[in-house]
Amino acid sequence: MTGEDTDTVGNGDGGAMDGLVVRGCERCPQLVESRSRIVNGVGPEDADLVFLGEAPGANEDERGEPFVGRSGSILDDALRDAGLDRTDVRITNCVRCRPPDNRDPMREELANCRGYLERELDLVDPALVVTLGKVPSEHLLDRSVAVTKEAGDVVDVRLGERSYRVVVSVHPAATLYDGSQRETFFETIAHAADLAGVSASDSGQANLGDF
Ligand code: URA
């Protein structure tokens, strides 16, 4: 995708969701200013495993895809170690537009984007959702979360009419400034793949990370 998102569906500033794709949303004035485009989730529409981040950064905003910068390559590495490719899973964010100066999304912005996330999860119907970092973990669990302590924990979360199994994870970027988090992150992703029934050992595939 290139250029400003102009693919509106003509329903004012509310935006609209066409399947899993949000178009034309202008609910958050600051994000409309700071984004180049809306960054929707990617991956299979029936993925067993969904990874949920916070919001797009500069790389994601430029390319129109979640987790394609440094954090994305760490996530790709951990997936590969678990015998998976990023195309096997769905990757999305709590907020679909890049916040200015990479600040955290504000409470109101999270709330404005919440319906899109709930609809995406409802349509994809994953076996498991992995929350990548503090913001998505607290957004889904609706309480304060110490991600380092709670990484790998499995929690049942009610969202709208549905409930989902959620695994808490540290954010992949945490592994960059704290080496000890790398093991935690990789173990959490492998554990999640196992729980979702999509790990290499479940499919009988060789784990390429072992070679
Ligand atoms: N961090 C996130 O939380 N989401 C992205 O898409 C990229 C980095």
Side-chain angles (χ1 to χ4, degrees):
M1 246 202 293
T2 53
E4 173 67 19
D5 169 52
T6 53
D7 195 6
T8 55
V9 225
N11 64 340
D13 66 1
M17 209 158 173
D18 178 8
L20 293 166
V21 178
V22 176
R23 295 201 167 95
C25 185
E26 299 191 341
R27 288 177 190 167
C28 306
Q30 285 190 14
L31 302 192
V32 170
E33 282 294 310
S34 57
R35 77 179 181 206
S36 311
R37 72 202 78 245
I38 295 171
V39 179
N40 284 291
V42 293
E45 302 194 350
D46 59 351
D48 287 318
L49 197 46
V50 169
F51 288 88
L52 179 65
E54 177 180 315
N59 293 297
E60 290 75 24
D61 179 68
E62 195 184 322
R63 289 183 40 195
E65 182 172 336
F67 283 97
V68 289
R70 281 183 89 188
S71 299
S73 17
I74 298 162
L75 176 60
D76 289 347
D77 288 348
L79 287 169
R80 206 171 305 116
D81 250 36
L84 295 171
D85 185 82
R86 71 151 44 215
T87 56
D88 297 326
V89 301
R90 192 154 183 97
I91 307 176
T92 194
N93 279 306
C94 296
V95 164
R96 292 172 193 247
C97 300
R98 181 192 183 194
D101 305 318
N102 291 333
R103 65 156 169 75
D104 284 354
M106 295 191 295
R107 184 189 294 266
E108 192 186 334
E109 293 161 351
L110 287 161
N112 285 342
C113 230
R114 174 80 174 206
Y116 301 138
L117 175 62
E118 287 187 10
R119 179 152 171 77
E120 182 171 22
L121 293 177
D122 187 41
L123 290 173
V124 174
D125 191 23
L128 198 75
V129 179
V130 181
T131 50
L132 297 171
K134 192 170 181 65
V135 169
S137 301
E138 296 191 340
H139 190 49
L140 286 202
L141 272 55
D142 197 25
R143 63 167 169 82
S144 99
V145 179
V147 280
T148 313
K149 266 204 201 144
E150 298 184 44
D153 285 2
V154 186
V155 187
D156 283 320
V157 166
R158 183 126 199 113
L159 286 194
E161 302 290 297
R162 307 264 332 248
S163 64
Y164 298 92
R165 268 182 120 190
V166 172
V167 166
V168 172
S169 172
V170 298
H171 194 280
T175 67
L176 293 170
Y177 40 83
D178 178 355
S180 71
Q181 302 281 320
R182 190 175 164 88
E183 199 180 342
T184 307
F185 180 67
F186 276 58
E187 276 175 5
T188 304
I189 302 312
H191 177 50
D194 241 7
L195 287 172
V198 294
S199 63
S201 53
D202 291 301
S203 64
Q205 266 181 306
N207 183 347
L208 295 180
D210 292 339
F211 295 95

